[in-house]
Amino acid sequence: MRLTFYGVRGSIPTPGADYIRYGGNTACVHVALKDGTDIVLDSGTGIRLLGELLIQKSSPIHILLSHNHWDHIQGFPFFMPIYQDGREINIYPGQTLLNEPTQILQQMEGSLFPVPSAALKANIQIQTLHTDQHKFAIGEASIRRLPLNHPGRGSAYTLEVGNSKIAYITDNELYPPYKKETEFLEFVEFARDADLLIHDAQYMVSDMPKKNGWGHSVAEEAVKLAMACNAKKLALYSHDPERTDDDIDNVVTHCKEYIAVAESTLQVFASTEGQTLDFN
Ligand SMILES: [Zn+2]
Protein backbone atom coordinates (compact mmCIF):
# COMPACT_ATOMS: atom_id res chain seq x y z
CA MET A 1 0.00 0.00 0.00
CA ARG A 2 1.02 3.58 -0.66
CA LEU A 3 0.24 6.36 1.81
CA THR A 4 0.25 10.06 0.90
CA PHE A 5 -0.35 13.00 3.22
CA TYR A 6 -2.73 15.62 1.78
CA GLY A 7 -3.43 17.59 4.96
CA VAL A 8 -1.40 17.59 8.17
CA ARG A 9 -2.58 20.71 10.02
CA GLY A 10 -4.85 20.73 13.06
CA SER A 11 -7.82 23.01 13.76
CA ILE A 12 -7.73 25.46 10.82
CA PRO A 13 -5.88 25.82 7.50
CA THR A 14 -2.71 27.91 7.63
CA PRO A 15 -1.88 29.60 4.35
CA GLY A 16 1.20 31.81 4.25
CA ALA A 17 4.93 31.78 3.64
CA ASP A 18 5.76 30.46 7.12
CA TYR A 19 3.77 27.27 6.57
CA ILE A 20 4.79 26.20 3.07
CA ARG A 21 7.29 23.42 3.86
CA TYR A 22 4.95 21.27 5.96
CA GLY A 23 1.72 22.56 4.41
CA GLY A 24 -1.37 24.31 5.69
CA ASN A 25 -4.25 22.00 4.77
CA THR A 26 -6.28 20.23 7.44
CA ALA A 27 -6.48 16.48 7.99
CA CYS A 28 -6.48 14.13 5.01
CA VAL A 29 -4.42 11.01 4.27
CA HIS A 30 -4.79 8.78 1.21
CA VAL A 31 -3.99 5.07 1.32
CA ALA A 32 -3.94 3.32 -2.06
CA LEU A 33 -4.06 -0.46 -1.77
CA LYS A 34 -2.37 -2.69 -4.33
CA ASP A 35 -5.79 -4.19 -5.21
CA GLY A 36 -6.85 -0.73 -6.45
CA THR A 37 -8.92 0.23 -3.39
CA ASP A 38 -8.76 3.87 -2.32
CA ILE A 39 -9.09 4.61 1.39
CA VAL A 40 -9.17 8.21 2.62
CA LEU A 41 -8.57 9.09 6.25
CA ASP A 42 -10.52 12.25 7.09
CA SER A 43 -11.91 14.92 4.82
CA GLY A 44 -10.20 18.16 5.82
CA THR A 45 -9.18 20.74 3.22
CA GLY A 46 -6.41 18.44 1.95
CA ILE A 47 -9.03 16.24 0.28
CA ARG A 48 -9.59 18.86 -2.45
CA LEU A 49 -6.29 18.08 -4.16
CA LEU A 50 -6.78 14.33 -3.67
CA GLY A 51 -10.08 14.72 -5.53
CA GLU A 52 -8.21 15.84 -8.64
CA LEU A 53 -6.40 12.48 -8.62
CA LEU A 54 -9.36 10.26 -7.75
CA ILE A 55 -11.75 11.85 -10.26
CA GLN A 56 -9.63 10.21 -12.95
CA LYS A 57 -10.87 6.82 -11.71
CA SER A 58 -14.36 5.35 -11.41
CA SER A 59 -13.83 2.77 -8.63
CA PRO A 60 -15.39 3.06 -5.13
CA ILE A 61 -13.87 5.45 -2.59
CA HIS A 62 -13.91 4.73 1.14
CA ILE A 63 -13.66 7.68 3.56
CA LEU A 64 -12.94 6.85 7.20
CA LEU A 65 -13.73 9.81 9.46
CA SER A 66 -12.09 10.26 12.84
CA HIS A 67 -14.86 12.64 13.93
CA ASN A 68 -16.95 15.56 12.72
CA HIS A 69 -14.95 18.54 13.93
CA TRP A 70 -14.87 20.99 11.08
CA ASP A 71 -11.19 20.58 10.24
CA HIS A 72 -11.90 16.90 9.46
CA ILE A 73 -14.90 17.36 7.16
CA GLN A 74 -14.66 20.84 5.65
CA GLY A 75 -12.93 19.76 2.44
CA PHE A 76 -15.74 17.40 1.45
CA PRO A 77 -17.86 19.91 -0.57
CA PHE A 78 -14.76 20.53 -2.74
CA PHE A 79 -13.95 16.83 -3.28
CA MET A 80 -14.75 16.56 -6.98
CA PRO A 81 -15.72 12.83 -7.05
CA ILE A 82 -18.92 13.72 -5.12
CA TYR A 83 -20.14 15.44 -8.32
CA GLN A 84 -19.25 12.41 -10.49
CA ASP A 85 -22.31 10.62 -11.85
CA GLY A 86 -22.86 7.35 -9.94
CA ARG A 87 -19.42 7.33 -8.27
CA GLU A 88 -19.63 5.08 -5.22
CA ILE A 89 -18.43 6.88 -2.11
CA ASN A 90 -18.67 5.10 1.23
CA ILE A 91 -18.34 7.23 4.36
CA TYR A 92 -17.57 5.61 7.72
CA PRO A 93 -18.39 8.12 10.50
CA GLY A 94 -16.32 8.21 13.67
CA GLN A 95 -17.60 7.04 17.06
CA THR A 96 -18.75 10.47 18.17
CA LEU A 97 -20.48 11.11 21.47
CA LEU A 98 -23.48 12.58 19.64
CA ASN A 99 -24.59 10.05 17.04
CA GLU A 100 -24.55 12.34 14.00
CA PRO A 101 -23.34 10.21 11.08
CA THR A 102 -24.53 12.59 8.35
CA GLN A 103 -22.86 15.80 9.55
CA ILE A 104 -20.42 15.68 6.64
CA LEU A 105 -23.45 16.11 4.34
CA GLN A 106 -25.36 18.47 6.65
CA GLN A 107 -22.56 21.04 6.31
CA MET A 108 -23.80 21.61 2.74
CA GLU A 109 -27.40 22.36 3.70
CA GLY A 110 -29.32 25.62 3.84
CA SER A 111 -27.36 28.83 3.72
CA LEU A 112 -24.05 27.05 4.46
CA PHE A 113 -23.18 25.97 0.90
CA PRO A 114 -24.58 26.63 -2.59
CA VAL A 115 -25.02 22.94 -3.51
CA PRO A 116 -27.22 20.82 -1.19
CA SER A 117 -26.09 17.24 -0.63
CA ALA A 118 -29.26 15.94 -2.31
CA ALA A 119 -27.96 17.41 -5.58
CA LEU A 120 -24.70 15.42 -5.50
CA LYS A 121 -24.46 12.99 -8.39
CA ALA A 122 -22.28 10.41 -6.67
CA ASN A 123 -23.79 7.39 -4.94
CA ILE A 124 -22.89 8.37 -1.37
CA GLN A 125 -23.46 5.76 1.31
CA ILE A 126 -23.09 6.44 5.02
CA GLN A 127 -21.79 3.17 6.46
CA THR A 128 -22.80 3.20 10.10
CA LEU A 129 -21.25 0.37 12.07
CA HIS A 130 -22.68 -1.03 15.26
CA THR A 131 -21.09 0.65 18.26
CA ASP A 132 -19.53 -2.68 19.29
CA GLN A 133 -18.10 -3.40 15.86
CA HIS A 134 -14.41 -2.61 15.98
CA LYS A 135 -13.17 -4.68 13.05
CA PHE A 136 -14.15 -4.71 9.38
CA ALA A 137 -12.59 -5.04 5.94
CA ILE A 138 -12.23 -2.69 3.00
CA GLY A 139 -10.75 -4.34 -0.08
CA GLU A 140 -7.71 -6.33 1.02
CA ALA A 141 -7.28 -4.21 4.17
CA SER A 142 -8.33 -5.24 7.67
CA ILE A 143 -9.51 -2.18 9.58
CA ARG A 144 -9.74 -1.79 13.32
CA ARG A 145 -11.07 1.19 15.22
CA LEU A 146 -10.86 2.43 18.79
CA PRO A 147 -12.46 5.42 20.55
CA LEU A 148 -10.40 8.60 20.90
CA ASN A 149 -9.87 10.72 23.98
CA HIS A 150 -11.19 13.96 22.52
CA PRO A 151 -14.02 16.42 23.21
CA GLY A 152 -17.00 14.84 21.42
CA ARG A 153 -14.95 11.64 20.97
CA GLY A 154 -14.17 9.95 17.64
CA SER A 155 -12.27 7.01 16.20
CA ALA A 156 -8.68 5.93 15.70
CA TYR A 157 -7.97 3.39 12.94
CA THR A 158 -5.44 0.77 12.00
CA LEU A 159 -5.11 -0.55 8.46
CA GLU A 160 -3.41 -3.89 7.91
CA VAL A 161 -2.55 -5.61 4.65
CA GLY A 162 -0.38 -8.72 4.91
CA ASN A 163 2.46 -7.86 7.28
CA SER A 164 2.10 -4.10 6.89
CA LYS A 165 0.29 -1.97 9.43
CA ILE A 166 -0.56 1.72 9.62
CA ALA A 167 -2.11 3.35 12.70
CA TYR A 168 -3.96 6.67 12.37
CA ILE A 169 -4.64 8.27 15.74
CA THR A 170 -5.38 11.96 15.58
CA ASP A 171 -7.26 14.40 17.72
CA ASN A 172 -6.32 12.23 20.64
CA GLU A 173 -5.25 13.28 24.12
CA LEU A 174 -3.24 10.43 25.60
CA TYR A 175 -3.39 11.90 29.11
CA PRO A 176 -6.59 13.94 29.38
CA PRO A 177 -7.86 15.57 32.57
CA TYR A 178 -11.33 14.14 31.80
CA LYS A 179 -12.42 10.47 31.89
CA LYS A 180 -10.53 8.47 29.26
CA GLU A 181 -12.34 6.50 26.58
CA THR A 182 -9.18 4.54 25.92
CA GLU A 183 -6.23 3.93 28.23
CA PHE A 184 -2.62 4.43 27.12
CA LEU A 185 -1.95 0.67 27.26
CA GLU A 186 -4.98 0.02 25.03
CA PHE A 187 -3.47 2.33 22.42
CA VAL A 188 -0.19 0.41 22.81
CA GLU A 189 -1.95 -2.87 21.95
CA PHE A 190 -3.94 -1.22 19.16
CA ALA A 191 -0.89 0.19 17.39
CA ARG A 192 1.50 -2.63 18.30
CA ASP A 193 4.28 -3.24 15.75
CA ALA A 194 2.91 -0.65 13.33
CA ASP A 195 5.18 0.15 10.41
CA LEU A 196 3.89 3.69 10.71
CA LEU A 197 2.11 5.39 13.59
CA ILE A 198 0.50 8.70 12.66
CA HIS A 199 -0.30 10.42 15.93
CA ASP A 200 -1.52 13.79 17.08
CA ALA A 201 1.42 15.86 18.32
CA GLN A 202 -0.10 19.30 18.39
CA TYR A 203 1.48 20.50 21.60
CA MET A 204 4.75 20.93 23.41
CA VAL A 205 5.10 20.75 27.18
CA SER A 206 5.39 24.55 27.12
CA ASP A 207 1.78 24.76 25.82
CA MET A 208 0.59 23.17 29.04
CA PRO A 209 -1.32 23.53 31.30
CA LYS A 210 -3.21 26.11 29.17
CA LYS A 211 -4.24 23.51 26.57
CA ASN A 212 -4.76 20.62 28.93
CA GLY A 213 -8.13 19.06 28.05
CA TRP A 214 -8.29 20.46 24.50
CA GLY A 215 -8.11 16.94 23.05
CA HIS A 216 -4.60 16.82 21.59
CA SER A 217 -1.31 15.31 22.72
CA VAL A 218 2.10 16.62 23.63
CA ALA A 219 4.70 15.46 21.08
CA GLU A 220 6.74 13.56 23.70
CA GLU A 221 3.64 11.55 24.62
CA ALA A 222 3.25 10.47 20.98
CA VAL A 223 6.92 9.42 21.00
CA LYS A 224 6.35 7.47 24.20
CA LEU A 225 3.42 5.62 22.61
CA ALA A 226 5.41 4.90 19.43
CA MET A 227 8.26 3.41 21.46
CA ALA A 228 5.91 1.45 23.73
CA CYS A 229 4.07 -0.13 20.79
CA ASN A 230 7.31 -0.87 18.91
CA ALA A 231 6.36 1.23 15.88
CA LYS A 232 9.03 1.57 13.21
CA LYS A 233 8.16 5.15 12.28
CA LEU A 234 6.24 7.96 13.95
CA ALA A 235 4.65 10.71 11.89
CA LEU A 236 3.91 13.73 14.08
CA TYR A 237 0.50 14.95 12.93
CA SER A 238 -2.13 17.65 13.45
CA HIS A 239 0.41 20.45 13.66
CA ASP A 240 -0.65 23.43 15.73
CA PRO A 241 -1.87 26.25 13.45
CA GLU A 242 0.27 28.66 15.46
CA ARG A 243 3.46 26.69 14.76
CA THR A 244 5.51 27.81 11.76
CA ASP A 245 7.73 25.47 9.72
CA ASP A 246 10.72 26.46 11.85
CA ASP A 247 8.72 25.79 15.02
CA ILE A 248 7.84 22.30 13.72
CA ASP A 249 11.53 21.67 12.98
CA ASN A 250 12.17 22.37 16.66
CA VAL A 251 9.46 19.89 17.70
CA VAL A 252 11.11 17.19 15.56
CA THR A 253 14.56 17.97 16.99
CA HIS A 254 13.17 17.78 20.49
CA CYS A 255 11.56 14.39 19.77
CA LYS A 256 14.80 13.03 18.28
CA GLU A 257 16.66 14.01 21.45
CA TYR A 258 14.04 12.21 23.52
CA ILE A 259 14.41 9.08 21.35
CA ALA A 260 18.21 9.21 21.53
CA VAL A 261 18.13 9.36 25.31
CA ALA A 262 15.85 6.31 25.30
CA GLU A 263 18.30 4.53 22.94
CA SER A 264 15.38 3.63 20.66
CA THR A 265 15.59 2.95 16.91
CA LEU A 266 12.27 4.72 16.31
CA GLN A 267 12.31 7.06 13.30
CA VAL A 268 10.35 10.28 13.80
CA PHE A 269 9.39 13.00 11.35
CA ALA A 270 6.76 15.70 10.98
CA SER A 271 4.02 14.79 8.50
CA THR A 272 4.37 16.86 5.35
CA GLU A 273 1.85 17.53 2.59
CA GLY A 274 2.70 15.54 -0.52
CA GLN A 275 4.91 13.10 1.39
CA THR A 276 4.49 9.49 0.24
CA LEU A 277 5.44 6.27 2.02
CA ASP A 278 5.31 2.79 0.53
CA PHE A 279 4.56 -0.42 2.42
CA ASN A 280 4.74 -4.00 1.22
ZN1 LIG B 1 -11.17 17.47 16.83
Side-chain angles (χ1 to χ4, degrees):
M1 52 187 162
R2 168 169 282 193
L3 178 146
T4 306
F5 291 101
Y6 279 86
V8 299
R9 188 69 53 174
S11 307
I12 190 167
T14 56
D18 290 339
Y19 306 91
I20 284 173
R21 276 195 289 121
Y22 290 105
N25 280 300
T26 61
C28 182
V29 178
H30 177 224
V31 180
L33 305 185
K34 283 186 178 155
D35 67 2
T37 304
D38 288 293
I39 298 174
V40 185
L41 297 160
D42 276 327
S43 184
T45 60
I47 202 171
R48 185 191 64 81
L49 194 60
L50 174 59
E52 293 182 11
L53 175 75
L54 296 185
I55 201 165
Q56 297 167 29
K57 301 173 70 175
S58 57
S59 52
I61 296 168
H62 304 271
I63 301 175
L64 303 177
L65 294 177
S66 59
H67 61 314
N68 297 329
H69 284 166
W70 203 19
D71 50 324
H72 295 256
I73 62 170
Q74 71 189 121
F76 187 76
F78 295 90
F79 183 53
M80 285 303 120
I82 66 176
Y83 300 97
Q84 224 173 333
D85 204 2
R87 186 75 184 266
E88 185 182 326
I89 299 176
N90 296 290
I91 298 170
Y92 298 77
Q95 297 154 283
T96 51
L97 183 60
L98 293 172
N99 183 26
E100 297 177 329
T102 62
Q103 287 294 56
I104 192 167
L105 299 175
Q106 295 299 317
Q107 67 174 331
M108 302 178 74
E109 303 307 322
S111 58
L112 293 171
F113 198 75
V115 183
S117 62
L120 299 178
K121 290 183 176 170
N123 174 19
I124 298 172
Q125 302 288 333
I126 303 290
Q127 304 285 353
T128 48
L129 305 174
H130 191 271
T131 45
D132 293 335
Q133 188 179 351
H134 298 303
K135 193 174 179 184
F136 53 102
I138 298 176
E140 62 181 355
S142 299
I143 316 287
R144 283 180 182 272
R145 63 176 188 166
L146 194 67
L148 295 168
N149 300 325
H150 194 63
R153 300 183 194 160
S155 295
Y157 297 97
T158 59
L159 283 64
E160 289 182 72
V161 178
N163 292 324
S164 298
K165 178 174 178 179
I166 296 165
Y168 179 76
I169 309 175
T170 193
D171 291 49
N172 187 48
E173 188 163 12
L174 286 165
Y175 294 100
Y178 45 84
K179 184 181 175 299
K180 289 178 196 164
E181 285 299 307
T182 300
E183 296 288 338
F184 183 84
L185 290 178
E186 293 176 277
F187 282 115
V188 172
E189 281 309 311
F190 182 67
R192 184 168 296 288
D193 296 328
D195 296 280
L196 174 68
L197 167 62
I198 301 168
H199 198 282
D200 189 304
Q202 192 153 332
Y203 301 140
M204 297 285 279
V205 170
S206 55
D207 294 317
M208 299 299 173
K210 185 184 169 196
K211 295 182 175 174
N212 193 22
W214 286 28
H216 300 280
S217 289
V218 171
E220 288 98 319
E221 295 167 354
V223 171
K224 187 174 149 190
L225 173 61
M227 292 194 297
C229 76
N230 194 36
K232 289 191 181 72
K233 294 179 181 173
L234 169 65
L236 305 174
Y237 194 69
S238 191
H239 306 314
D240 192 310
E242 293 180 16
R243 250 186 257 299
T244 64
D245 289 334
D246 291 346
D247 292 334
I248 293 173
D249 287 342
N250 290 336
V251 174
V252 174
T253 300
H254 184 76
C255 288
K256 284 182 176 172
E257 288 170 359
Y258 189 96
I259 292 165
V261 169
E263 299 183 353
S264 167
T265 57
L266 174 68
Q267 297 173 47
V268 66
F269 58 91
S271 308
T272 305
E273 267 181 42
Q275 180 181 16
T276 292
L277 293 100
D278 285 312
F279 303 90
N280 289 330

